[in-house]
Structures are given as structure tokens and as C-alpha cells.
Amino acid sequence: DLYSALGERQFDLIVANPPYIDKDVWYTLAPRVRNFEDTQALVAENQGYALIEKIIDQAPHYLDPDGLRMLVIEIGAAQGKRVVDSATAQGAHA
């Protein structure tokens, strides 16, 4: 339900900072992160890609075809290739 509150509205730009950390990586993070950050705000299923790929898959419906049509997502340093591949599969130009 990431986009459910938007109804049928469309936008030029969507910016997202979803949870993107793999649950196995969570335990390797610095204690200042693990001990003070909400796990649900940082950790996602599917090796950290669950919400990223859902955002990418659903974004075309919410990006105005006559607008800028830009999707910006914060991701982990090692996630670039898979995220670009997912976006490209949706017809994006990364």
C-alpha cells in the first residue's frame, strides 16, 4: 500500500527513502545504528530489495506521462546494479 494514499494523482517526481538493508547485514552495522534506529525503518525482506522493487514496479502509474517522470530512491552502496536492472525492466532510463 505504498501509494494507496495518493489515489489516482500523478507526479513529476517521486523521492523515496525506504528500508533497504538486508536482515543479515543489520547485525554487522555499528552499535550506534543497531541500538538506536528502528529495525523496521532500515531492514527489508528479499535481501533489502522488497520495498525498493515494489516502489519501482508501481511508480510508472504515479509518474505523470507529460512531466519529468523521475524516481529517486536511496539505496545501499552495493545495490546499484540490481536496482538499475529493475528500473530498466520497467522502461526507465537509469
Side-chain angles (χ1 to χ4, degrees):
D1 66 347
L2 294 170
Y3 294 97
S4 64
L6 302 178
E8 293 299 315
R9 294 175 59 199
Q10 292 187 316
F11 303 88
D12 290 335
L13 170 69
I14 296 172
V15 178
N17 182 9
Y20 59 82
I21 297 172
D22 183 342
K23 62 184 173 186
D24 293 335
V25 172
W26 172 257
Y27 301 103
T28 69
L29 297 178
R32 65 183 169 81
V33 175
R34 281 194 332 268
N35 296 337
F36 298 102
E37 295 290 340
D38 181 358
T39 306
Q40 291 182 347
L42 300 176
V43 176
E45 295 294 321
N46 191 22
Q47 299 173 323
Y49 293 98
L51 291 173
I52 292 169
E53 291 178 343
K54 189 173 182 179
I55 290 167
I56 290 169
D57 289 345
Q58 295 176 8
H61 180 76
Y62 295 96
L63 290 168
D64 184 345
D66 298 320
L68 183 61
R69 295 190 57 81
M70 183 177 287
L71 174 62
V72 178
I73 305 175
E74 181 175 341
I75 62 172
Q79 293 175 313
K81 181 175 179 354
R82 181 167 167 178
V83 171
V84 168
D85 290 347
S86 293
T88 302
Q90 286 294 330
H93 304 282

